[in-house]
Amino acid sequence: MAEADPGKEAKDFHLDTPFENRPFFLKGANALDWGMQNRFSRIFNPESGRTVMLAIDHGYFQGPTTGLERCDVNIVPLLSHCDALMLTRGMLRTTIPSTFRGGTVLRASGGPSILKELSDERIAVDMEDACRLNVAAVTVQIFIGGEHESRSIHNMTRLVDLGLRYGIPVLAVTAVGKDMVRDARYFRLATRICAELGAQFVKTYYVADGFETIAASCPVPLVMAGGKKLPELDALTMAYNAIDQGAAGVDMGRNIFQSEAPSAMIRAVRGVVHEKMKPREALDLYQSLKNQGK
């Protein structure tokens, strides 16, 4: 229907301005649907292009981990300092306030406990439930070289197909068994397989020798896993090196919630990831906030 005022011809179609197609800010994500890109922008900060994820999903196979005994007490106060939260649907529904504005990355694989063979995982969440929870992504463990390698890859590809149907990205996590060598050659293999088979981003471990080749050979964003608890300066240095060598962010758990001052530590990590603070500068921030009881 035409406009009601036929005498008004004050339109401006900006005929001298070409339509602008802006590339999406994340590596390898230009061809993704709008909904998937929007979900990514809840995980990664569009200004820095990086993320600080807080991993608290450890209980899905090892029960009440030290520092996660009471997530309502220990984790909820940290939520305002993380870009995204990696967790199970049980913890999300029972403990995380629905007012949380960051991205949620939902653990979607599981099965064995620490008492059994960990690579014997299966898909443990229906994608429709992930939609009900309005998650930003789902995540699955991949065991390259593990006893159940093929099943773990099939878990991932099944989730990738479902994620494409519903517009939800899949994070592949490269698990490392106790008998596997943690070197750049192994992680180049594992991360590239995940990306080639459709994972939209990959979480992997930092190695001091050759991490930049892992990041360079992976065509999707790489997020560094925090791993075991380290002294604060060592953890901040690892995060700095990973970002400097091509990682798009960090996903830390024990190095934050097992710190003597978790709130101070996560803010120091944010300084490294988003503000490019040097490790010593970030440590000074950590110690200052810790001394203030913040």
Side-chain angles (χ1 to χ4, degrees), residues 122-135:
R122 289 169 173 78
I123 295 175
V125 171
D126 188 279
M127 195 62 82
E128 290 187 2
D129 201 30
C131 290
R132 278 189 289 271
L133 290 166
N134 195 31
V135 303

Side-chain angles (χ1 to χ4, degrees), residues 69-218:
E69 300 92 342
R70 285 285 302 275
C71 291
D72 58 322
V73 175
N74 299 333
I75 298 301
V76 170
L78 305 179
L79 295 182
S80 62
H81 304 302
C82 68
D83 298 302
L85 193 60
M86 182 168 163
L87 76 173
T88 62
R89 59 179 167 181
M91 195 57 69
L92 180 57
R93 279 195 165 101
T94 61
T95 307
I96 304 304
S98 58
T99 51
F100 176 58
R101 303 290 292 175
T104 47
V105 180
L106 187 69
R107 167 60 61 182
S109 64
S113 73
I114 53 173
L115 305 177
K116 298 290 185 178
E117 168 54 45
L118 291 179
S119 68
D120 189 19
E121 286 195 347
R122 289 169 173 78
I123 295 175
V125 171
D126 188 279
M127 195 62 82
E128 290 187 2
D129 201 30
C131 290
R132 278 189 289 271
L133 290 166
N134 195 31
V135 303
V138 296
T139 183
V140 59
Q141 213 80 358
I142 306 299
F143 296 86
I144 301 299
E147 182 178 343
H148 298 283
E149 174 188 81
S150 293
R151 180 189 297 151
S152 72
I153 291 175
H154 178 73
N155 290 342
M156 184 196 76
T157 56
R158 177 63 178 150
L159 284 173
V160 167
D161 288 338
L162 291 168
L164 290 171
R165 179 183 301 172
Y166 291 100
I168 298 178
V170 173
L171 170 65
V173 180
T174 61
V176 180
K178 31 184 195 179
D179 298 324
M180 296 180 193
V181 178
R182 293 191 183 199
D183 61 14
R185 182 179 181 184
Y186 172 81
F187 288 121
R188 285 195 301 267
L189 171 70
T191 57
R192 184 60 172 261
I193 287 174
C194 293
E196 292 267 0
L197 293 177
Q200 283 82 23
F201 59 138
V202 180
K203 172 180 169 181
T204 198
Y205 290 94
Y206 179 77
V207 293
D209 185 11
F211 183 81
E212 68 279 7
T213 68
I214 304 170
S217 63
C218 184

Side-chain angles (χ1 to χ4, degrees), residues 182 205 225-231 235 238 252-256 258:
R182 293 191 183 199
Y205 290 94
K228 66 181 181 180
K229 176 69 175 73
L230 301 171
M238 180 174 66
M252 286 188 162
R254 287 169 287 179
N255 279 300
I256 291 174
Q258 290 181 355

